[in-house]
Amino acid sequence: MTESATTAAARLAELAGTVIGGSLPIRIRAWDGSEAGPATGPVLVLNSRRALRRLLWSPGELGLAEAYISGDVDVEGDLAQGLSTVWNAAKDGKVTRPKVKPTQWPRLALEAARLGVIGLRPPGPGQAASLKGRRHSRDRDRAAIAHHYDLSNEFYELLLDKSMAYSCAYYVDGPGGDLGAAQDAKLDLVCRKLGLSAGRKHLDVGCGWGSLICYAAEHYGTYSTGVTLSRQQFEFVTKRVADAGLADRVQVRLADYRELDNGLDDGQYDAVSTIEMGEHVGDAEYPAFAGILHRVLRPGGRALVQQMSRGENAPGGGAFIETYIAPDMHMKPLGTTVSLLGGAGLEVRDVHALREHYDWTVRAWADTLEEHWTEVVEMIGEVGARVWRLYLVGGALAFAENRMGVDQILAVRPDAAGTASMEPSRRVWET
């Protein structure tokens, strides 16, 4: 260390520069009030030496996330800008991890000890998922869904719009539009793509809080059935359907999607939808999932899959999301999903990219979270609130910076002669 590196922040900056092979991409303020790094932009505030030990024990995304949600770290200024700065520095190669020379290790270790980096693993901040059993077994999937969706109906009612749609909206008028109107536009778009009309039988796999099945029955006169693995969602939708007077046209099942592979549902539906549920289906299980979508349709019936995507090298949700938000989440490249649907016998007729719309959707949720911060803390605790703040801000950035995508994939089950029963010359939902 140099003679000038006397404050905690300066010593941290120099230590970090040696380890990561570059200057700090963001300004830091240490527990002693000292600062180092770029003069402009957000400031990463290290409230405790414990933050450094979290990074030692869990280097990378998870350690930094746990330091934030525990309160050991704060961000002064725009959290999204701070996350983007760090991400872009790593992406552009400004932050690397070169080999440290053996002769440097004693000095680095001594300085790390002086700064309080070395020590026992800090206790977890709480609210992490704890799953047992084989990945994507029925019991484990049920526990994973419960961890995320059974959090609190009151929380989701506060966060979401009146439709209770927890998926990417469709901003017809661009990012300045109202979230509720954009969610209604998405629900209507799905119904038109599926060719729904009075008397048609519609199945929604992973129906959430019932937004689509209720909308389809009320506005298009369908007989809609929803399937959810979440008991809390099942009870909410059951009451919602009764309160709306839709019990004669809408039903909800508390079931695993694999329970549809029973022979009784084969060929029973004119349309099937699955809105951001495929991300919870394991990679090995997805061919069977696609096969179920094919089998429940009558020949000529349509399927709409709205699903998030990531590249081949980053299929999961990331260490933070899989630990605190959506355990066992799996996102695949768009082309892989299209191939799997085709392999199940469905003919893909259209792919509609909605990536920017998800950025706008998540930002609207994040704004609501901040507006009702005190209420959210009362509902799910300070740690829970910080988990969701980080999740929403980071999620919006992932879509804005094209690290994640989301698409509506429209497919049809051809009849025995190969006829698709869909207009080939134009997008039928635009008429």
Side-chain angles (χ1 to χ4, degrees):
M1 298 292 135
T2 64
E3 291 294 327
S4 61
T6 55
T7 66
R11 290 157 67 188
L12 274 171
E14 190 164 345
L15 180 65
T18 302
V19 174
I20 68 177
S23 58
L24 287 171
I26 190 171
R27 190 165 187 80
I28 60 170
R29 180 183 302 137
W31 49 89
D32 65 352
S34 60
E35 296 188 13
T40 60
V43 179
L44 185 71
V45 182
L46 303 172
N47 294 316
S48 166
R49 290 178 170 86
R50 189 169 53 239
L52 304 177
R53 290 197 290 276
R54 291 193 187 279
L55 289 171
L56 175 68
W57 284 97
S58 299
E61 174 188 319
L62 185 59
L64 188 58
E66 291 189 332
Y68 177 78
I69 63 181
S70 66
D72 291 334
V73 160
D74 273 306
V75 175
E76 188 176 278
D78 191 318
L79 177 59
Q81 184 184 351
L83 293 176
S84 183
T85 299
V86 173
W87 167 257
N88 288 321
K91 181 180 67 176
D92 296 339
K94 295 175 183 176
V95 176
T96 61
R97 190 175 287 276
K99 292 181 179 179
V100 177
K101 296 178 181 178
T103 55
Q104 294 177 294
W105 277 115
R107 186 177 60 174
L108 289 173
L110 178 60
E111 188 60 30
R114 288 172 176 169
L115 286 166
V117 176
I118 298 173
L120 298 175
R121 180 191 288 274
Q127 301 201 11
S130 179
L131 303 184
K132 299 178 181 179
R134 180 176 57 83
R135 193 176 178 94
H136 292 297
S137 65
R138 296 194 186 196
D139 286 345
R140 181 171 169 127
D141 275 357
R142 188 175 294 107
I145 292 298
H147 175 80
H148 187 52
Y149 296 99
D150 291 356
L151 178 64
S152 161
N153 281 342
E154 291 75 17
F155 168 72
Y156 283 107
E157 287 180 270
L158 184 151
L159 184 71
L160 308 177
D161 69 289
K162 59 179 174 54
S163 75
M164 289 293 285
Y166 182 42
S167 55
C168 180
Y170 184 50
Y171 283 79
V172 178
D173 299 319
D178 172 72
L179 173 63
Q183 289 291 10
D184 284 347
K186 184 271 300 296
L187 297 172
D188 197 67
L189 181 66
V190 171
C191 291
R192 284 184 282 130
K193 286 183 175 184
L194 287 172
L196 298 183
S197 59
R200 296 219 164 199
K201 294 182 66 178
H202 161 231
L203 176 68
D204 190 31
V205 184
C207 67
W209 287 271
S211 57
L212 180 56
I213 53 177
C214 290
Y215 188 94
E218 183 176 356
H219 294 273
Y220 284 83
T222 59
Y223 292 98
S224 289
T225 298
V227 176
T228 178
L229 193 54
S230 163
R231 176 166 292 279
Q232 194 155 298
Q233 286 182 340
F234 169 76
E235 293 173 353
F236 181 94
V237 178
T238 299
K239 183 177 185 303
R240 178 178 185 174
V241 169
D243 290 348
L246 295 171
D248 60 331
R249 283 180 286 158
V250 178
Q251 64 171 304
V252 59
R253 299 187 201 173
L254 179 62
D256 189 287
Y257 73 89
R258 285 162 283 209
E259 293 175 46
L260 295 168
D261 195 16
N262 55 19
L264 300 176
D265 289 289
D266 289 2
Q268 295 299 303
Y269 296 94
D270 299 292
V272 60
S273 53
T274 179
I275 310 298
E276 295 176 26
M277 183 270 183
E279 299 88 341
H280 299 289
V281 176
D283 198 32
E285 291 75 18
Y286 204 94
F289 173 70
I292 290 171
L293 300 182
H294 175 270
R295 282 193 296 280
V296 299
L297 285 172
R298 62 163 178 80
R302 300 181 190 180
L304 186 135
V305 176
Q306 181 169 309
Q307 192 168 300
M308 290 179 277
S309 63
R310 294 189 75 165
E312 286 282 4
N313 296 326
F320 162 62
I321 288 179
E322 292 197 40
T323 301
Y324 287 93
I325 298 291
D328 296 345
M329 192 175 193
H330 186 93
M331 289 175 281
K332 52 181 61 64
L334 169 62
T336 301
T337 301
V338 169
S339 295
L340 289 167
L341 294 174
L346 293 166
E347 181 186 1
V348 173
R349 304 287 290 190
D350 185 82
V351 175
H352 186 175
L354 296 173
R355 177 174 63 81
E356 292 86 353
H357 294 259
Y358 224 158
D359 173 25
W360 307 331
T361 302
V362 178
R363 287 178 190 273
W365 292 337
D367 288 344
T368 299
L369 183 80
E370 297 302 329
E371 290 167 11
H372 297 275
W373 183 258
T374 301
E375 297 168 69
V376 171
V377 170
E378 290 175 356
M379 287 179 183
I380 62 175
E382 180 78 25
V383 168
R386 290 172 76 93
V387 164
W388 273 84
R389 174 189 275 162
L390 190 59
Y391 170 50
L392 294 177
V393 170
L397 274 175
F399 290 108
E401 297 178 353
N402 200 17
R403 290 181 276 117
M404 285 174 56
V406 63
D407 305 272
Q408 286 186 350
I409 306 167
L410 180 63
V412 64
R413 175 178 176 171
D415 63 20
T419 304
S421 303
M422 287 186 68
E423 168 64 53
S425 61
R426 66 179 186 272
R427 289 179 167 180
V428 293
W429 59 90
E430 294 178 343
T431 59

